[in-house]
């Protein structure tokens, strides 16, 4: 029987317990979905393509998540198709995240996601971006508890896989809406909750208040995932020890930096060589082209150059040079010229990937909010 992280004696909210060391490589479960590590890779719009998720699994994430998918786009089938969501055997377990505000439409979308092979259906009640909240979806649900519960209930009734919810603390700074809403969502059918304890108004400024995470853990009998400011192994251990959460979720720290996941999961803080950095970036480029096509991938990838090549790994002008190149072929040529040994590392990485034919291609349009 896998541990869920629920039922342990919780420290008082906000206190620091340095005696508790959580084995981040210990398995846990969301209902019947077994998750091999306590590290979850966050769903991020414009980032969480399949290449990003597969990379996260290679570096220690036990659960990976798609970027949010519009339930309206799935229902109508006439949203401009920006790409297709794929599931590869080496990225499972996988949560596909959906957003919307109509319970019936969300239920239909969840059925499609389950039929496509997702292990979990995740509902977004946390996105603070205006183009999402103005539709009544995302973080807006934190102020409409009846509708939020109706959405979760409809989705949970529609699918057999576990339903999870990702939310923020509330819309306004200082809000404690998550503590009232969380238990109600569990009653409605949520098998796990992820809390990012910033307000929607905060966006990503300030600090995540994980005393709220500890309070939420004490209120529900399902696994809680702690999200926000998980940037190092020490920070992950402190959050787990002080909140009693089942797992931590890593987001921005892993953008172009899978080595951050390795440091969190194993404590391996060794900086990658330039050859390793270039090889991972080249693999990411090739896998993204396979998923999105050359045209979409060319623009989509530009933000990743700085993420991979920054942190003092390469001179800043090098990133600007890559951004200005017209084709991805030119980008690859320039990267290999900067680190010729990356070709051997790349060949090894590619040899370890499953065949592309093993992918399950989901004929579902991804969200227009994905930024691809």
């Amino acid at each position: 029987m896998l541990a869920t992280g629920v039922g342990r004696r919780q420290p008082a909210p906000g206190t620091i317990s340095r005696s508790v060391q959580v084995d981040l490589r210990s398995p846990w479960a969301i209902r019947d979905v077994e998750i091999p590590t306590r590290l979850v890779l966050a769903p991020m719009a414009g980032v969480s393509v399949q290449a990003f998720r597969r990379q996260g699994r290679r570096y220690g994430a036990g659960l990976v998540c798609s970027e949010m998918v519009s339930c309206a786009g799935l229902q109508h089938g006439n949203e401009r198709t920006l790409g297709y969501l794929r599931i590869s055997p080496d990225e499972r377990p996988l949560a596909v995240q959906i957003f919307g505000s109509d319970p019936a439409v969300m239920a239909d979308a969840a059925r499609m996601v389950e039929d496509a092979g997702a292990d979990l259906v995740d509902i977004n009640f946390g996105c603070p971006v205006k183009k999402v909240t103005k539709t009544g979806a995302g973080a807006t649900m934190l102020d409409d508890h009846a509708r939020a519960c109706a959405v979760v209930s409809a989705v949970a009734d529609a699918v057999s896989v576990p339903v999870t919810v990702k939310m923020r603390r509330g819309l306004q700074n200082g809000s404690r809406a998550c503590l009232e809403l969380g238990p109600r969502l569990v009653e409605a059918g949520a098998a796990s909750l992820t809390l990012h304890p910033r307000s929607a108004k905060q966006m990503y400024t300030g600090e995540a208040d994980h005393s709220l995470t500890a309070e939420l853990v004490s209120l529900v009998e399902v696994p809680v995932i702690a999200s926000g400011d998980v940037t190092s192994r020490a920070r992950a251990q402190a959050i787990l020890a002080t909140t009693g959460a089942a797992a931590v979720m890593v987001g921005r720290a892993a953008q172009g930096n899978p080595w951050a996941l390795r440091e969190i999961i194993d404590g391996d803080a060794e900086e990658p060589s330039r050859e390793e950095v270039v090889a991972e970036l080249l693999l990411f480029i090739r896998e993204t082209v396979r998923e999105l096509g050359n045209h979409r991938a060319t623009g989509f990838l530009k933000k990743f150059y700085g993420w991979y090549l920054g942190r003092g790994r390469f001179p800043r002008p090098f990133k600007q040079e890559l951004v200005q190149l017209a084709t991805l072929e030119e980008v690859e040529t320039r990267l290999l010229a900067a680190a010729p040994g990356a070709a051997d590392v790349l060949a090894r990485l590619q040899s370890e990937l499953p065949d592309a034919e093993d992918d399950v291609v989901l004929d579902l349009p991804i969200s227009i909010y994905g930024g691809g």
Side-chain angles (χ1 to χ4, degrees):
M1 182 79 174
L2 292 177
T4 63
V6 177
R8 294 183 303 192
R9 181 180 178 89
Q10 308 303 336
T15 63
I16 298 295
S17 172
R18 301 196 183 278
S19 62
V20 178
Q21 284 289 305
V22 177
D23 181 2
L24 285 158
R25 283 203 175 271
S26 64
W28 60 294
I30 298 176
R31 215 173 70 195
D32 56 345
V33 176
E34 299 184 1
I35 303 169
T37 76
R38 304 265 168 172
L39 188 59
V40 180
L41 190 60
M44 290 179 282
V47 175
S48 298
V49 292
Q50 186 191 58
F52 182 77
R53 302 191 306 264
R54 295 174 84 182
Q55 181 186 72
R57 288 288 285 122
R58 285 192 289 112
Y59 277 84
L63 175 66
V64 296
C65 310
S66 76
E67 59 186 287
M68 59 184 180
V69 181
S70 165
C71 70
L74 299 186
Q75 181 194 45
H76 298 303
N78 57 9
E79 181 183 337
R80 176 188 172 194
T81 302
L82 298 181
Y84 296 94
L85 190 62
R86 300 169 183 262
I87 295 177
S88 180
D90 62 336
E91 62 177 315
R92 299 182 69 176
L94 168 71
V96 172
Q97 187 182 81
I98 58 176
F99 74 97
S101 59
D102 184 289
V105 177
M106 287 284 279
D108 287 342
R111 291 187 191 97
M112 296 173 70
V113 167
E114 180 181 32
D115 289 345
D119 300 289
L120 301 161
V121 175
D122 187 58
I123 301 174
N124 183 309
F125 286 169
C127 181
V129 178
K130 186 175 181 180
K131 64 176 69 175
V132 173
T133 58
K134 72 180 181 181
T135 69
T140 304
M141 287 290 191
L142 299 169
D143 262 8
D144 192 345
H145 293 190
R147 182 176 289 273
C149 291
V151 166
V152 171
S153 179
V155 170
D157 288 344
V159 298
S160 62
V161 297
V163 174
T164 61
V165 178
K166 186 172 190 287
M167 60 182 177
R168 286 185 174 236
R169 67 180 298 165
L171 288 177
Q172 301 301 321
N173 294 344
S175 172
R176 294 170 60 83
C178 62
L179 301 181
E180 178 186 344
L181 180 58
R184 294 182 62 184
L185 297 178
V186 173
E187 290 178 7
S192 177
L193 302 173
T194 298
L195 179 62
H196 182 164
R198 284 184 171 91
S199 68
K201 185 175 182 179
Q202 275 183 277
M203 299 290 284
Y204 295 99
T205 62
E207 294 184 0
D209 181 3
H210 282 292
S211 67
L212 285 175
T213 310
E215 290 189 67
L216 181 62
V217 169
S218 72
L219 293 173
V220 298
E221 294 297 324
V222 299
V224 173
I225 301 169
S227 175
D229 298 344
V230 182
T231 55
S232 67
R233 181 176 177 83
R235 184 65 179 147
Q237 288 284 4
I239 290 170
L240 289 171
T242 59
T243 66
V248 290
M249 177 174 281
V250 178
R252 289 172 292 160
Q255 291 175 345
N257 191 30
W259 302 277
L261 301 179
R262 183 176 68 187
E263 190 276 331
I264 291 169
I265 198 78
D266 288 327
D268 181 357
E270 183 179 354
E271 269 293 300
S273 67
R274 293 178 67 158
E275 289 73 21
E276 289 174 307
V277 171
V278 168
E280 285 289 354
L281 175 53
L282 287 171
L283 180 62
F284 188 82
I285 289 171
R286 293 182 182 183
E287 289 292 291
T288 302
V289 168
R290 184 171 68 84
E291 180 180 358
L292 303 183
N294 192 78
H295 177 72
R296 277 191 62 212
T298 299
F300 174 87
L301 287 163
K302 289 183 184 296
K303 59 180 172 284
F304 286 88
Y305 301 154
W307 291 341
Y308 275 91
L309 304 175
R311 303 176 177 86
R313 295 168 181 162
F314 285 82
R316 183 172 297 179
F318 184 53
K319 178 215 112 173
Q320 294 301 327
E321 179 184 343
L322 295 183
V323 169
Q324 293 168 10
L325 294 176
T327 68
L328 292 176
E329 290 76 13
E330 291 176 283
V331 170
E332 286 206 15
T333 299
R334 185 65 187 90
L335 284 168
L336 287 171
D344 292 336
V345 181
L346 176 61
R348 176 180 57 80
L349 293 175
Q350 289 182 311
S351 71
E352 295 170 352
L353 294 178
D355 292 337
E357 289 74 17
D358 292 338
D359 281 5
V360 178
V361 181
L362 315 185
D363 191 15
L364 307 175
I366 67 170
S367 166
I368 59 172
Y369 307 115

